[in-house]
Amino acid sequence: MSEPVLTELNNGVLTVTLNRPEKKNAITQAMYAALAEATNRARTDDAVRVLLFRAEGDSFSAGNDIADFIAIGQSGGGQVIDAPVFHFLKALAHLDKPAVAAVRGRAVGIGLTLLLHCDMVVVADDALLSAPFVNLALAPEAASSLLLPMVVGHQRAFEIFALGEPIDGRTAHAWGLANRAVPSDQVDATAAELAAKVAGRAPNSIKKTKRLMRDAERLWALMQEEGEAFGSQMSSPEAMEAFMAFTQKRAPVFG
Ligand code: COA
């Protein structure tokens, strides 16, 4: 079986590929661990100038693996701060080198909120981005409760969270979530080109620029705060109903 997360370092660009296309690149705990390792490597390895996220298959990512949500919810544990997902989030918050994303197809949940930590985002015109946390009776994560309204404005962000309906790539670009919206077959090449360009810039200058633009400690503190709301919702009856409805391919019924 091939690895669900692949990494490759080439000319200063560490490419991380989500490689679970048969499940629309839904992210398991093991995949979060691999993503955390790659993101930490990007920060600490001098050979890495830029981190590039991309995906195999027709979707960037269907978000957190819902079978994992069920297992964690049923264990009653909620989200624990030493879970692999938090290792990844912490690594993202503290990453001080540029991150680029190449997004085709669906980007759901963390598939969208990850983009808020990328410095350059290329989407397909017809990509579909959504954050259906409320549909799953959960709460926003990855500091998206701050970053999404900051990028798109409160009302648009609220609608994205509360209704969970996707926006397409053109809209994402118009709303400031992406640097470029291009035809689907040009996404990888466009993102690779941007990544190569940034990799050629003065590395310390880029690092200082990025550090000045984001408050890593504030983002990490917020991620942990969000994790409490997310974790307590995860073991709630309304979330269990939403997860079961997904696996049974039916609409959820809340109360
Ligand atoms: N967790 C676990 N499995 C998932 C998944 C997820 N988040 N998203 C998709 N899959 C699985 C499906 O169960 C299906 O598996 P199967 O072939 O064994 O039945 C397979 O991936 C293909 O998904 P499918 O739903 O048939 O594809 P689609 O093109 O009709 O729809 C999505 C794609 C992304 C719109 C849809 O799969 C979806 O809504 N997924 C859930 C997204 C979500 O809510 N994520 C959590 C965010 S916090």
Side-chain angles (χ1 to χ4, degrees):
M1 206 181 81
S2 55
E3 291 299 315
V5 175
L6 307 171
T7 55
E8 188 186 355
L9 178 62
N10 223 326
N11 296 325
V13 178
L14 183 65
T15 300
V16 174
T17 300
L18 298 170
N19 185 35
R20 198 188 176 210
E22 71 287 0
K23 295 287 183 188
K24 307 282 172 189
N25 293 313
I27 304 177
T28 60
Q29 294 300 300
M31 290 166 74
Y32 281 123
L35 289 168
E37 192 182 322
T39 308
N40 281 323
R41 176 181 170 196
R43 182 170 53 81
T44 54
D45 183 345
D46 288 343
V48 179
R49 297 284 184 90
V50 176
L51 180 59
L52 169 62
F53 291 104
R54 63 172 301 279
E56 282 302 318
D58 63 13
S59 284
F60 182 66
S61 175
N64 202 107
D65 188 282
I66 290 180
D68 272 9
F69 273 162
I70 293 173
I72 297 168
Q74 281 174 341
S75 75
Q79 286 211 312
V80 276
I81 214 71
D82 62 353
V85 60
F86 281 103
H87 295 174
F88 178 47
L89 294 180
K90 188 174 186 184
L92 270 183
H94 291 94
L95 180 65
D96 57 4
K97 290 184 191 167
V100 177
V103 180
R104 289 177 290 105
R106 293 277 182 170
V108 187
I110 190 133
L112 187 165
T113 58
L114 161 62
L115 307 181
L116 300 166
H117 296 274
C118 292
D119 307 287
M120 302 190 101
V121 176
V122 178
V123 291
D125 296 324
D126 60 355
L128 289 173
L129 284 65
S130 58
F133 299 119
V134 173
N135 288 355
L136 288 168
L138 295 170
E141 37 72 316
S144 62
S145 60
L146 172 76
L147 297 175
L148 191 60
M150 201 187 263
V151 175
V152 304
H154 175 89
Q155 283 77 5
R156 286 166 174 165
F158 184 84
E159 184 171 344
I160 289 171
F161 287 139
L163 300 187
E165 289 164 2
I167 57 167
D168 65 20
R170 283 189 197 89
T171 306
H173 179 237
W175 288 4
L177 269 166
N179 298 70
R180 311 268 190 283
V182 299
S184 182
D185 61 0
Q186 292 171 28
V187 166
D188 276 318
T190 308
E193 201 179 306
L194 283 176
K197 237 188 210 181
V198 177
R201 296 297 197 262
N204 290 323
S205 165
I206 284 271
K207 243 197 240 184
K208 284 177 184 162
T209 300
K210 179 161 175 169
R211 278 190 200 146
L212 287 165
M213 290 174 73
R214 317 167 77 242
D215 184 342
E217 285 311 323
R218 181 172 177 221
L219 294 177
W220 172 229
L222 179 60
M223 286 168 173
Q224 294 172 82
E225 204 180 303
E226 290 172 340
E228 284 171 26
F230 196 102
S232 64
Q233 276 303 113
M234 206 151 77
S235 48
S236 70
E238 57 185 25
M240 202 48 69
E241 163 59 12
F243 303 155
M244 288 305 170
F246 175 75
T247 57
Q248 294 161 7
K249 300 189 190 292
R250 62 172 174 81
V253 181
F254 297 117

